[in-house]
Amino acid sequence: MGKLNKQRLDTKTKKPHAKKVCEQALLNEISDLKKQLAEARIYQLSFSEHQHELAKVMQVGFWEWDEINGKVLSYSAQMAEIFDVGEADIHAVLQGLEKFEAMVHPDDLEHYRKHASVELEQDKTYSYEYRIIHRDSSVRYLRKHERGVFDSKGKLISSYGAVHDITESELVLDSLKQSETRYATLFEEMPLGMLEENYSSVKKIVDKLILKGEQDVAGYLKKHPKMLRDMVASTTITSVNQALIDIHEADSKEEFLQEEADIDDWWDTEWINFFADEIAALVGDRHYFEAERIDSKIDGSYFETRSITKVVRGYEDSWERVITIQEEITARKTAEADLIEAKTQAEQANLAKSEFLSSMSHELRTPLNAILGFSQLFQYDRSVGEQHLANATEINRAGKHLMSLIDQILDLSRIEAGEADLSLEPVSLGQVLTDSVNWIAPLAKNREIEVDCDSSKFEDLVVLADSIRLKQVFLNLLTNAVKYNYRSGNVSVNCQHLDNGALRIGISDTGPGLSADKLKELFQPFNRLGAEFSGIEGSGIGLIITRQLLDLMDGKLEIESEPGRGSTFWVHLNPVQNPRKIDAEEPLDLTVTDITPFDIRDTRILVAED
């Protein structure tokens, strides 16, 4: 009894302590749950914010619909932006069928109604696209995804989904479609033959060769023709236009493709070299190959063609698109051959003309020299009357003019025939100009024309030229400047140093000048630009000879002229750097040791002149 009471007493003593322990545990659990709930709310809020931001970036709106009561249950804020309505109006738009359908593009309304009325099935997603019109009349493309929610008995109770604004991607796709359409049209309508092929299998083999260190791809492929043949056979033709089919005179695209596929029928050494060079060129930085070759038509006949092969940009790493443009050039090649033949014949005729002129010039000199000689004799015959003496003087003057024409024609024929021998050496420019001015002084005096040439400006200038031919150049230009000048006019000689180190000597006159049209005809042989009716003697080939002589001396001739303001003829010459002083009057110091001994009986005098 005492023991039992003691146990009861102990039990009563322990109960309050156990109760406290349970309450504390419960409080701790509640605190943990509150903490977890707060964290869950923060996470949910953060998730919602992230979801909202992601939906905004992706332009996606979410919605949920009560199928039983026919009303909208919820929607995301992005729906208002997608449909271009205010947040206060989006509910009415989503709820009211008429307001919503009023936003659908008229051309897509039936399409939208057809898909919107489809009965939803369990575990199935429905997707379709349609267009809407914003308030600013812009058209937007939308893609809608929808799923149904069913109860345990399979009854549809609600639906939910997403609307995605895909306008940007649709516009890009539409632009791409237009581009492809334009390309297809261009490809098909191109008057040149076009072929598009897939070279990806070839590219893989070439990459392996390069990886192994092969530098000469073309050489390697030519040494392995069997390998090259298999590479070419592995390519596939993806497109061919009608122009190429017509070039090969195939009845259809299928016939052309079959002919190309029968590689053993046309494979030979020429094609080995062609494809080896083509593949090697496509490996290069330009991914481009151009060639002229012989090709065959369906009937086996051959024709000449020019082809350009290029890897389409963006496919350089794969060679999936390689385009070849082909042009038949048989007619052009025939015309070129005819042109070359005509050119050869013209050159031969020109050579014959030059030889004829040279021969005739020599033949004409003999009787002409007699005419000049006998006409001069009249000047010493005192028994000849004044009238006969005047006639003889005119005969002599005309004879000299004719001799000058013969000399110029002979000169021109030699230059055109490439027989004009020039000796290029350092020449004193001042000495040549002084001599030339002195030569034309009588002509200038006769026409009362002042020639202004300051020899001191040219005293130390030395050029690389042929002294005789250079003097001929300046004599021609100075004579023209005097002859075609106004009476009592002026001729000046100037010099300029160009930036490239060359010299240019200008001979200017105060004559009538030349128009742009006459300048174009200036170097036409025997065309005197109307001066033949002026009484001024000339042949019309002096300037041609002058320009050709300057070309032979690595110089050039330029003309500046303006009607009413005279003309300037610029002679470009190459100066000699640091020349030794050239003294034209310095006598040659020849001693006996300078002359090779010879027997006077074995020598002949060819020319003796001053």
Side-chain angles (χ1 to χ4, degrees):
M1 181 68 180
K3 186 176 180 181
L4 180 60
N5 289 338
K6 187 177 180 180
Q7 288 178 347
R8 289 178 178 174
L9 182 59
D10 292 340
T11 302
K12 289 180 180 180
T13 304
K14 291 179 180 179
K15 276 184 179 181
H17 178 70
K19 184 178 181 181
K20 281 185 177 182
V21 172
C22 291
E23 289 178 355
Q24 187 60 43
L26 185 59
L27 291 173
N28 292 339
E29 186 175 352
I30 292 173
S31 176
D32 290 340
L33 290 174
K34 287 181 177 180
K35 185 177 180 181
Q36 292 178 16
L37 181 60
E39 291 176 351
R41 286 175 176 172
I42 294 173
Y43 173 77
Q44 180 64 31
L45 181 61
S46 175
F47 179 77
S48 298
E49 290 178 354
H50 293 165
Q51 190 180 42
H52 175 74
E53 290 298 325
L54 188 60
K56 185 176 181 180
V57 172
M58 297 181 63
Q59 293 184 299
V60 178
F62 302 98
W63 54 269
E64 187 173 1
W65 182 264
D66 186 345
E67 296 286 348
I68 296 177
N69 299 311
K71 62 180 182 179
V72 62
L73 293 176
S74 63
Y75 50 86
S76 66
Q78 192 63 26
M79 293 289 285
E81 184 175 340
I82 290 175
F83 288 96
D84 191 30
V85 296
E87 293 185 6
D89 301 324
I90 184 62
H91 182 83
V93 171
L94 295 177
Q95 184 65 42
L97 182 62
E98 291 184 3
K99 290 185 177 181
F100 186 86
E101 287 189 347
M103 303 178 65
V104 178
H105 195 287
D107 294 343
D108 291 355
L109 187 57
E110 291 300 322
H111 170 76
Y112 169 78
R113 288 174 176 173
K114 176 183 177 181
H115 286 279
S117 61
V118 172
E119 185 175 348
L120 301 179
E121 298 180 11
Q122 200 165 0
D123 298 329
K124 189 174 181 180
T125 301
Y126 295 84
S127 301
Y128 56 95
E129 298 174 6
Y130 62 96
R131 292 171 293 173
I132 62 172
I133 302 176
H134 277 190
R135 288 175 292 182
D136 61 359
S137 299
S138 63
V139 177
R140 309 297 294 182
Y141 293 78
L142 304 182
R143 180 180 289 123
K144 181 178 179 181
H145 306 280
E146 185 177 9
R147 286 181 67 92
V149 178
F150 299 83
D151 61 12
S152 58
K153 296 181 180 181
K155 180 181 179 181
L156 177 66
I157 57 176
S158 66
S159 60
Y160 64 95
V163 177
H164 185 196
D165 188 333
I166 58 172
T167 303
E168 303 304 326
S169 60
E170 283 294 321
L171 291 177
V172 172
L173 184 60
D174 185 59
S175 176
L176 182 61
K177 288 180 180 178
Q178 292 181 13
S179 178
E180 288 290 340
T181 300
R182 287 194 295 268
Y183 168 75
T185 302
L186 176 64
F187 186 91
E188 188 58 38
E189 298 298 329
M190 178 72 74
L192 302 176
M194 294 188 68
L195 183 72
E196 184 175 326
E197 299 173 274
N198 186 334
Y199 268 46
S200 56
S201 58
V202 174
K203 182 64 165 61
K204 292 178 181 178
I205 297 175
V206 172
D207 287 343
K208 290 180 180 178
L209 292 177
I210 295 175
L211 187 62
K212 291 179 179 179
E214 183 59 51
Q215 299 294 326
D216 184 8
V217 175
Y220 182 89
L221 294 177
K222 290 175 183 179
K223 292 178 181 178
H224 300 81
K226 176 70 168 58
M227 174 183 177
L228 178 60
R229 181 208 170 281
D230 294 340
M231 290 170 64
V232 174
S234 68
T235 63
T236 55
I237 298 175
T238 55
S239 296
V240 57
N241 71 345
Q242 186 61 41
L244 187 60
I245 295 175
D246 294 340
I247 289 175
H248 287 264
E249 297 183 356
D251 293 333
S252 63
K253 178 181 178 180
E254 290 71 24
E255 184 180 21
F256 172 81
L257 295 177
Q258 181 61 43
E259 177 69 16
E260 291 295 305
D262 295 336
I263 188 170
D264 291 329
D265 291 344
W266 48 265
W267 187 259
D268 57 19
T269 304
E270 295 296 328
W271 284 111
I272 291 173
N273 294 329
F274 172 81
F275 280 110
D277 293 336
E278 178 198 65
I279 293 171
L282 295 182
V283 175
D285 295 335
R286 296 180 63 196
H287 306 288
Y288 172 91
F289 179 69
E290 180 178 354
E292 292 184 359
R293 55 187 169 85
I294 304 295
D295 205 343
S296 59
K297 299 183 178 183
I298 295 296
D299 60 4
S301 61
Y302 294 99
F303 65 96
E304 293 188 77
T305 179
R306 173 175 175 261
S307 63
I308 298 175
T309 304
K310 181 79 171 66
V311 178
V312 176
R313 188 171 182 178
Y315 292 85
E316 294 91 341
D317 295 332
S318 63
W319 290 11
E320 291 180 6
R321 294 184 69 182
V322 175
I323 289 184
T324 298
I325 300 176
Q326 191 176 116
E327 175 189 13
E328 183 175 358
I329 58 173
T330 305
R332 192 186 81 188
K333 282 293 185 180
T334 302
E336 286 179 0
D338 293 342
L339 185 62
I340 292 172
E341 177 63 24
K343 181 175 179 291
T344 302
Q345 293 179 0
E347 289 174 347
Q348 292 175 349
N350 188 54
L351 181 61
K353 177 207 71 173
S354 298
E355 292 176 350
F356 171 77
L357 288 176
S358 178
S359 175
M360 285 303 299
S361 297
H362 286 293
E363 293 297 329
L364 290 173
R365 282 174 183 274
T366 301
L368 188 55
N369 283 328
I371 294 172
L372 291 174
F374 283 106
S375 65
Q376 287 176 342
L377 290 177
F378 281 102
Q379 297 177 3
Y380 304 102
D381 191 346
R382 297 181 181 275
S383 63
V384 177
E386 291 184 2
Q387 183 61 45
H388 290 294
L389 183 60
N391 292 339
T393 301
E394 183 62 24
I395 292 173
N396 186 266
R397 188 193 65 79
K400 287 182 178 179
H401 177 57
L402 182 57
M403 181 68 78
S404 175
L405 294 179
I406 293 173
D407 288 340
Q408 287 188 335
I409 292 174
L410 181 59
D411 225 359
L412 182 61
S413 65
R414 283 175 177 173
I415 294 173
E416 289 181 345
E419 297 175 355
D421 295 328
L422 274 71
S423 176
L424 300 183
E425 58 187 359
V427 176
S428 172
L429 184 59
Q431 186 64 49
V432 171
L433 285 172
T434 300
D435 291 345
S436 301
V437 171
N438 290 337
W439 271 67
I440 58 98
L443 178 62
K445 183 179 180 181
N446 186 47
R447 303 205 67 220
E448 300 177 358
I449 291 176
E450 182 181 351
V451 180
D452 181 14
C453 179
D454 186 357
S455 59
S456 62
K457 294 180 179 179
F458 309 96
E459 184 177 355
D460 298 326
L461 297 179
V462 177
V463 295
L464 189 64
D466 184 294
S467 60
I468 297 176
R469 293 300 192 177
L470 184 59
K471 188 177 294 185
Q472 183 180 353
V473 166
F474 285 119
L475 279 174
N476 281 340
L477 296 178
L478 286 167
T479 302
N480 286 346
V482 172
K483 287 196 307 182
Y484 298 104
N485 206 334
Y486 291 121
R487 181 170 288 275
S488 302
N490 180 268
V491 173
S492 60
V493 182
N494 301 298
C495 181
Q496 293 181 358
H497 294 265
L498 302 181
D499 294 337
N500 60 3
L503 287 173
R504 72 172 191 165
I505 299 89
I507 298 176
S508 304
D509 63 61
T510 55
L514 298 170
S515 64
D517 292 336
K518 286 190 174 181
L519 283 174
K520 294 178 182 178
E521 303 174 5
L522 192 59
F523 292 100
Q524 293 179 0
F526 307 105
N527 186 347
R528 299 189 61 204
L529 308 179
E532 59 270 23
F533 306 110
S534 65
I536 302 174
E537 293 181 350
S539 61
I541 60 175
L543 280 179
I544 299 175
I545 295 174
T546 299
R547 187 172 67 172
Q548 292 181 344
L549 287 175
L550 284 172
D551 289 341
L552 293 174
M553 291 185 285
D554 197 23
K556 67 178 180 178
L557 180 66
E558 289 182 345
I559 301 96
E560 295 177 1
S561 187
E562 187 176 340
R565 303 190 65 177
S567 305
T568 300
F569 289 78
W570 292 100
V571 175
H572 290 244
L573 295 170
N574 296 314
V576 177
Q577 303 298 331
N578 302 319
R580 65 177 180 84
K581 186 173 181 179
I582 298 176
D583 189 353
E585 303 299 329
E586 181 182 352
L588 294 176
D589 182 17
L590 296 177
T591 62
V592 177
T593 56
D594 295 321
I595 303 175
T596 304
F598 60 90
D599 190 338
I600 191 67
R601 293 170 300 179
D602 296 331
T603 63
R604 289 182 300 165
I605 296 177
L606 298 180
V607 177
E609 65 178 11
D610 184 359

